[in-house]
Amino acid sequence: MQIVEITDSFRMQQFSRLLDQAFQLAPGMHYLDDFPIWSAAGAGERSVIRLGAVSDEGDLMAGAGLRLASIRTLSGDAVRAALIGAVATGERFRGQGLATRLVAQALARARDAGAAVALLWGAEHSLYAKLGFTLCGSQILIPLQSLELPKAGGSLEKGWNPGIFDLLMKRGSGVILTPQDRVWIEAHRHVDWYWVGPRTAPDAYAAVGRGIDLGGLVHEWGGEPSALKALLGSLRAERPELTLLGSSRDVEKLGFSREKSRQEFLYLAAVLDPARIAPRVIQEEIWIWGLDAV
């Protein structure tokens, strides 16, 4: 067995099939449609690395992805972080510790690249605990029905608008996006985007769902506050079952009551460089938007 970087089209096809099988997706659904940062759409991003465990016979037994990013904290500081995702092992090869080895190598590469913390999302808490990950951070969820919002009115546009990315780049927290990130943001096939304002320069935006996950959640949102509230009011009239997902600080800035909200852990985190990041930052200051959660 050897660990390799997944770069060529043949290995990418193996990787895609492995992910679809490992996550038991329904026919016609593909993991990389909903997480295109790990696909060819993200290949131009130098900070994205895909690792694979390959058998002597050439089979891709397991895979994992590493994305190096700078995150703007809720206080406005920048933190260098490693985002771990697309971790999967083929059914025939489970129980051999392959995923653990791949994530461990990803963490080693992240340390070498100067990352202070590693973040991931996954249900295998015992596996990741062996590598130093613990549940951290917080996110709140508030039903749109419970918010004080304007009544539906005006024009609520649906569908991707390139102007949305300009607003995403201006957001005050989360992964710091660059123009190159637009490729993989646009590649999400199952996100419902909404926006209001001029077509060439929207005033506010929101996004719902992703396909595999984030169903029923407004997980990306921003823009001019009054326009955003009007957008959410119109969106509630169209889809009253939706829930707003966000950080406590961002929700409070809009003046929303948290009376009917619930709070959850946001991610699993492992400190890579204790000298460069404080425990308080990991617990209270890092916020990751839905599409950044790889």
Side-chain angles (χ1 to χ4, degrees):
M1 189 274 291
Q2 60 177 330
I3 294 178
V4 302
E5 285 194 27
I6 299 171
T7 56
D8 61 83
S9 59
F10 173 69
R11 290 284 183 226
M12 279 301 305
Q13 290 175 3
Q14 287 187 315
F15 190 40
S16 179
R17 289 195 297 270
L18 173 68
L19 289 165
D20 292 349
Q21 293 166 4
F23 286 89
Q24 300 180 332
L25 301 187
M29 295 290 291
H30 299 289
Y31 183 94
L32 294 180
D33 285 345
D34 296 334
F35 297 88
I37 189 67
W38 307 121
S39 71
E45 176 55 64
R46 295 180 181 177
S47 61
V48 173
I49 299 170
R50 296 172 292 266
L51 299 174
V54 179
S55 70
D56 295 339
E57 292 75 29
D59 295 319
L60 182 66
M61 300 184 291
L66 164 65
R67 179 187 178 197
L68 296 166
S70 291
I71 297 174
R72 184 175 291 110
T73 70
L74 293 169
S75 296
D77 299 323
V79 172
R80 190 65 173 162
L83 307 183
I84 307 294
V87 180
T89 303
E91 187 174 2
R92 293 189 295 125
F93 306 107
R94 291 172 186 165
Q96 303 178 36
L98 297 175
T100 302
R101 291 180 62 179
L102 289 175
V103 174
Q105 182 161 139
L107 295 178
R109 292 193 181 207
R111 287 190 187 92
D112 291 344
V117 63
L119 310 176
L120 61 76
W121 293 259
E124 300 82 5
H125 294 174
S126 59
L127 182 156
Y128 294 122
K130 298 175 184 177
L131 295 167
F133 285 91
T134 57
L135 284 165
C136 294
S138 66
Q139 61 184 12
I140 61 172
L141 299 96
I142 310 177
L144 286 188
Q145 290 280 40
S146 72
L147 299 178
E148 292 188 11
L149 296 169
K151 292 183 179 180
S155 176
L156 177 63
E157 304 289 346
K158 183 177 180 180
W160 173 255
N161 180 328
I164 294 174
F165 188 74
D166 295 331
L167 293 176
L168 288 169
M169 289 184 64
K170 296 175 183 177
R171 62 192 184 182
S173 59
V175 171
I176 299 174
L177 299 175
T178 69
Q180 289 72 33
D181 290 304
R182 177 173 159 177
V183 174
W184 69 267
I185 290 286
E186 290 183 339
H188 286 89
R189 294 186 59 190
H190 302 124
V191 175
D192 292 332
W193 291 97
Y194 297 87
W195 53 276
V196 294
R199 178 171 293 276
T200 55
D203 294 322
Y205 67 92
V208 178
R210 176 157 58 181
I212 295 174
D213 63 353
L214 302 178
L217 297 178
V218 184
H219 54 80
E220 317 286 323
W221 44 271
E224 195 278 322
S226 61
L228 176 60
K229 289 181 179 181
L231 183 158
L232 293 175
S234 295
L235 185 56
R236 179 176 63 185
E238 183 176 312
R239 301 181 64 175
E241 78 285 358
L242 294 178
T243 296
L244 185 72
L245 172 68
S247 72
S248 298
R249 205 169 304 185
D250 287 331
V251 166
E252 289 168 359
K253 283 181 180 179
L254 290 175
F256 290 150
S257 170
R258 293 183 50 188
E259 182 179 353
K260 295 187 178 181
S261 70
R262 71 178 191 272
Q263 185 169 320
E264 300 176 347
F265 286 110
L266 179 55
Y267 47 67
L268 289 158
V271 174
L272 303 181
D273 187 347
R276 295 175 56 203
I277 192 164
R280 181 187 62 81
V281 173
I282 298 172
Q283 288 289 358
E284 302 175 11
E285 294 291 338
I286 293 179
W287 167 254
I288 297 290
W289 292 94
L291 296 188
D292 291 334
V294 297

